[in-house]
Amino acid sequence: MKDRSSYTPFLFAFLSLLLLALTVWVIWKDEIQLRPWKEYQQEYKELKASKLQSEYDEAVTLFQSSGDAQKLEALKARLEEADRIFQSKEVQEKYKGLAAQKDIVEASLDQNQKQLQEKRGKFLQVEYLYIRDQREQDKKTMQALQKEIGGLTENRDALLEQKSSIGEKIGDLTKEREALLVEIESLHKGLDEKLAAIESNEHMSEGIKQVHISDADKADRCITCHIGIESTYRLTDSQPLTPHPARFVYLENHPVSDFGCTFCHRGQGRATTSPDKAHGWVHHWTEPMLEGRMTQASCISCHEDTEYLRGAEFLAEGSGLIKKYGCYGCHMIPGYEGLREIGPVLAEVGSKVNYSWAVNWLQDPKNYYEAARMPKFYFSKGEAESIADYLFSMTGTTRHDTLYTDEEIDWDLVEKGKAIWGQSRCNICHVTNGQGGAHAAVHAPDLSKVGSKVSKEWLFKWIKDPKKYFPETKMPRYRFSDEEISALVEYIIGEYQDFDFEPDYEETVPIKAESIEKGKMLVEKYGCFGCHKLKGMEDMQNIAPQLLRAGATVAGGESSEKIGAELSSIGSKPLELLDFGKMKGKIPHSRESYVQQKLRAPRSYRDDLRMPDFRFTEEELKPLSAVLLGFTDASRPLRFIVPGHTRLDQQENEFGSHPLAGVFSQLAEDVKCLNCHKIKGHGYDFAPDLTIAGSKLQESWIREFLDQPDVIRPMLKQMPRFNLGKQLGMIQGNLKPLEIETVVNYFRTELVSGDIPATLPELEEAPEADPVELGRQLYDEKGCVACHQIGSEGGTVGPNITNVGGRLTAGFIFKYLEDPRKFSSDNVDPDYGFSERERVYLTRYLMSLKKGTNNAEISETRSEQ
Amino acid sequence: MKMLDTIKRSVLWRSIFRREYKDTPRNRALAIFGNIFMHLHPVKIRDSAVKLRYTWGMGGISLFSFIILTVTGFLLMFYYHPSVEKAFWDMKDLEFQVPYGIFLRNLHRWGAHFMVIVVWLHMFRVFMTGSYKSPRQFNWTIGVILLVLTMLLSFTGYLLPWDQLGLWAIVVGTNMAAGTPLLGFEGPFSEYLGITPYNDVRFAILGGSTVGGNALLRSYVWHCVVIPLVAVVLMAVHFWRVRKDGGISGPHSS
């Protein structure tokens, strides 16, 4: 009892205060601290207000200075005058009188309408009775009613006329005023709209804003803070109020209201209480936001083809790298199934290369040349020798090196070989001493030191028929005679020697059996068969794609699955399933940093990892990791999916896996047309797209060109000559006559477009002058000469059109002039919006440009440097 | 005045207010008899019963937290769908979008933890003061059942956010149920009863053999309807029994 009186009131007071404080804290927290967007929205509103205000002020100044203001004053004065007249006693009296008359007429009209309705109703009733009973009496009533209705209708028409005439009279009195009002309003409209914009901005509602994607049950509230993301105004450059970068690519095609934000950017779209939470940069949120170029990772979720997707260039870079380094050899990667192994067949490598070269290469391919694509496996010299022993044991029993440095050189032969080398344009694909290799996409090996690497016998066999050794090679088969090949081999081996090469096995040494065994084990362990075809291990790759299973790994050589981890959902793999191992704490604990570190130093997580080191640069890591992060198993609405070429082709059932058919396809495969040209979406971009070549090119020109490729492009883009004459130096033609027929036929029947007319349309009115001359005038007027060259005159941005009339068809030129970008989005020709007539004239003129027939001087720059 | 008298004499008035306001012993007794809450509560309370040092006030605090949980739980039900597609996102919306939603949810969550602790301490106090002894054996038993109900409320509520924590807690919890003798398919002797994963006690709890939409719905119904109802009834009995057993036990009366 005593103690209660002493402390209870204080305790009670303390607890009450505590409760009060907590209540205040709760309110503060919920109203202010957990609503950071309030501040952003306020700021945005202010920025927008000041922008709108300044625009309004500008408009007002313009209004004053342009004389609109005086005009307005004048109109207002006239309005006042008109008002005065209208308000004057006599006019008012007249007006009121008319209005009263109008009221009376309207009342009678109402009355009339009611009567009419009643009579018509009655008529229908009687008509029904008459039809049923056929009574004479009813018929009479009907006639009477009919008459009455007629009278009423007449009456109504008269009343209506009266009404309109009164209306006209009233209109005469108010007409001027109304016209003035309309004029004043239209003059003021621009300013009023701007004022309304200011007003509506002031009343902009504050609050959480969201985009709800109902079919994915997504609610993205990002626009609560990023309130100006879709705006075309750039009010500020700082986040979160700045608009989306490159909105013409991203937002135009993916409006926020349809797509939200997190399909592409990830993060926690529902969060509103802090930027970190919203961006998913918090513990336990497994999808942190993707920023900048990395966001392109998400394109893969919906776009099946990203190779030429605008805005996904970073991704295309990444996919290019996957193809370049053949990641799919070891990993199961969606979209890369069934691609060929990137390494050469190793079945006969023992008869191809020097043993010392092979050991050196295996230890580090970059020792041989910097651009080597093969990764470093960190083999010791002993291990490298075992592998080399295993490979060499397939064709022989000894370690051996063959050198040609001491041989006598047949200079005549070398000279002939050099000429063939030049005409065959070997340097388009192959680099030698830092020269050539313009067509990098085919990854032809650097030949600078090839003389110390391969044997003459092998090189001869290789050039004679590359496919015999390596069926999937990209190297074309040139139709050389044996003599020519010998010359070429002599030239290559003699010219491209490596003088630092130190052979260890000029004296052959027998291979030991245990070393072979060890080498085989290493080959199986590290999965060399992922990139190279190896005898006895073919199944290991062939079966692989069918055994799709998450986390497929291989122990030893028994399994026939891919050796690397399956990557089809690496982008959504839970963080706790990623083994950071030794790197834990040293790199950020995120999926992105995991993937990048894996690419940077594949074996850094644990010691026993097998993935080799590709020595990616930081610039390569990022696009690669973007592609990998794009492989997720996240679901998205079906309506988002953009099917790829392959699927569309299959759906249309137009062409199968190969775009070409018949004899032509064999020929094209032999000389590798698709190495440089693109046909129906297949092949490379190095040389012109041939998909519509049949409609585009004149038959005679195709024939002539194939027979003897002309110089229409710079040196390293010229078409190679696949077949040289029987006698050296005598150029007889590129392809054999029969082959040329095949190509021409195929072009004419298959590679045509229905869009391109066979002939020029007839003009309705006859031209007033010679159309060719009119075309020439147009050519001068539009400044075509700035980019195109005729003879030696003109710019070099566009193609030289000296012989365009001998090369292209009239229909193509006509169609091309209509919309150059229709044929390739890369074309830079401006769209002049030519009329059909103009296009006909221009086409006529261009068709008149033929080699040797026009006035311009033609410089034949055929060079065989 | 006259009208007031008429109203007060009306059947309707007297059916609601069954006694006079005048302070007489009879009216005071009637006030107790006519009021369910007063009926549950003892008429007289001993001095020692309000001593904090002796009772710790744990029974009262348990009731108080039960009331808070009922009120907040009721409000949470307005924002929550017990379905696999929506449950987790409803949690997120409570956090990010509903005004005072995070406060509401935290109050419910922490209140639940608090109640479990308090009920345990209540039991501990009752045990240490020997209040379970005659004549309070029956009420002790009711109390034990209430303790179990409190923990079941806690367990069923765990799954409702449909997050990893709750999901795995229920996986573990129900797998333990699968080990029940006779009734769980992993328990001893269950094979004699023909128990399989598809007819055992775990199946009954989950509405399936794995934690899924059915388990979530069952948790929800148990958590929001059945267990609270049973607990309210038992609490009424518990309080009434305190009164019938001679009020809150006190220090040994001298």
Side-chain angles (χ1 to χ4, degrees), chain B residues 75-120:
Chain B
L75 291 172
L76 286 173
M77 282 167 79
F78 287 137
Y79 297 104
Y80 179 81
H81 304 77
S83 73
V84 171
E85 293 78 30
K86 295 210 158 157
F88 181 72
W89 298 115
D90 287 342
M91 289 304 111
K92 286 285 167 190
D93 278 356
L94 272 164
E95 182 181 349
F96 296 127
Q97 201 251 336
V98 177
Y100 298 96
I102 186 73
F103 177 65
L104 197 60
R105 184 159 121 72
N106 282 343
L107 208 57
H108 195 78
R109 188 182 175 87
W110 293 108
H113 289 314
F114 182 69
M115 182 173 164
V116 171
I117 294 167
V118 165
V119 170
W120 272 109

Side-chain angles (χ1 to χ4, degrees), chain A residues 105-353:
Chain A
V105 172
E106 271 171 0
S108 339
L109 258 174
D110 269 1
Q111 183 74 14
N112 180 286
Q113 191 66 26
K114 270 180 201 151
Q115 283 173 356
L116 253 177
Q117 247 168 19
E118 196 189 317
K119 295 290 172 205
R120 279 179 182 148
K122 220 169 212 170
F123 179 81
L124 286 173
Q125 204 178 344
V126 177
E127 191 185 39
Y128 169 72
L129 288 175
Y130 174 69
I131 289 167
R132 197 185 66 183
D133 304 337
Q134 296 289 327
R135 281 197 312 197
E136 229 9 70
Q137 194 191 342
D138 286 340
K139 192 167 186 187
K140 271 181 196 153
T141 322
M142 267 170 73
Q143 278 161 353
L145 279 169
Q146 189 79 51
K147 214 171 177 185
E148 273 180 71
I149 289 170
L152 280 169
T153 317
E154 269 169 38
N155 195 10
R156 187 192 61 187
D157 292 347
L159 280 169
L160 279 174
E161 207 168 295
Q162 224 177 324
K163 188 184 164 187
S164 78
S165 86
I166 294 170
E168 256 171 52
K169 278 180 196 154
I170 292 177
D172 284 343
L173 292 179
T174 55
K175 204 165 53 184
E176 199 191 344
R177 241 179 112 248
E178 267 156 24
L180 280 170
L181 279 172
V182 167
E183 212 172 327
I184 288 173
E185 203 190 306
S186 76
L187 200 60
H188 221 268
K189 206 171 151 200
L191 289 178
D192 283 349
E193 275 169 4
K194 290 209 156 57
L195 268 181
I198 293 175
E199 179 97 344
S200 86
N201 182 53
E202 260 167 36
H203 293 116
M204 185 181 84
S205 66
E206 257 183 42
I208 293 175
K209 299 170 196 305
Q210 70 170 22
V211 178
H212 183 228
I213 314 290
S214 53
D215 46 0
D217 197 25
K218 243 183 204 301
D220 284 351
R221 307 202 170 113
C222 316
I223 49 171
T224 305
C225 294
H226 294 277
I227 188 159
I229 202 76
E230 278 195 292
S231 171
T232 41
Y233 279 131
R234 180 174 284 274
L235 296 175
T236 165
D237 286 336
S238 64
Q239 292 286 13
L241 303 178
T242 188
H244 198 282
R247 64 190 299 281
F248 51 88
V249 182
Y250 301 111
L251 292 195
E252 297 268 286
N253 297 317
H254 311 85
V256 172
S257 55
D258 292 348
F259 289 83
C261 311
T262 55
F263 273 117
C264 303
H265 283 286
R266 305 189 191 172
Q268 187 174 196
R270 286 181 189 244
T272 55
T273 52
S274 87
D276 277 354
K277 277 192 178 170
H279 295 156
W281 296 330
V282 282
H283 201 47
H284 291 316
W285 192 258
T286 54
E287 301 297 333
M289 183 187 155
L290 294 173
E291 291 177 281
R293 295 184 300 175
M294 287 304 280
T295 316
Q296 293 177 19
S298 305
C299 301
I300 305 174
S301 306
C302 306
H303 292 272
E304 289 187 355
D305 279 349
T306 48
E307 206 178 341
Y308 300 104
L309 189 62
R310 204 152 67 109
E313 290 77 14
F314 194 55
L315 210 55
E317 210 178 303
S319 343
L321 288 165
I322 289 184
K323 284 187 186 143
K324 178 177 174 188
Y325 289 104
C327 308
Y328 50 80
C330 295
H331 296 280
M332 184 67 235
I333 312 178
Y336 297 82
E337 297 92 351
L339 294 176
R340 84 199 242 292
E341 294 89 352
I342 62 161
V345 175
L346 293 181
E348 291 170 60
V349 73
S351 65
K352 172 184 173 184
V353 301

Side-chain angles (χ1 to χ4, degrees), chain B residues 18-20 22-35 38-39 43 243:
Chain B
R18 291 177 180 235
R19 59 180 176 83
E20 307 258 297
K22 214 178 203 175
D23 188 12
T24 63
R26 183 175 177 273
N27 279 346
R28 265 189 260 162
L30 280 175
I32 302 295
F33 288 144
N35 184 317
M38 284 313 198
H39 223 80
V43 192
R243 177 183 171 183

Side-chain angles (χ1 to χ4, degrees), chain A residues 356-383:
Chain A
S356 304
W357 177 89
V359 172
N360 183 34
W361 172 263
L362 281 164
Q363 282 178 275
D364 185 356
K366 287 204 197 295
N367 283 346
Y368 178 65
Y369 68 90
E370 195 48 41
R373 282 184 295 161
M374 180 158 146
K376 184 174 181 175
F377 283 82
Y378 297 100
F379 290 130
S380 66
K381 190 164 189 214
E383 286 174 323

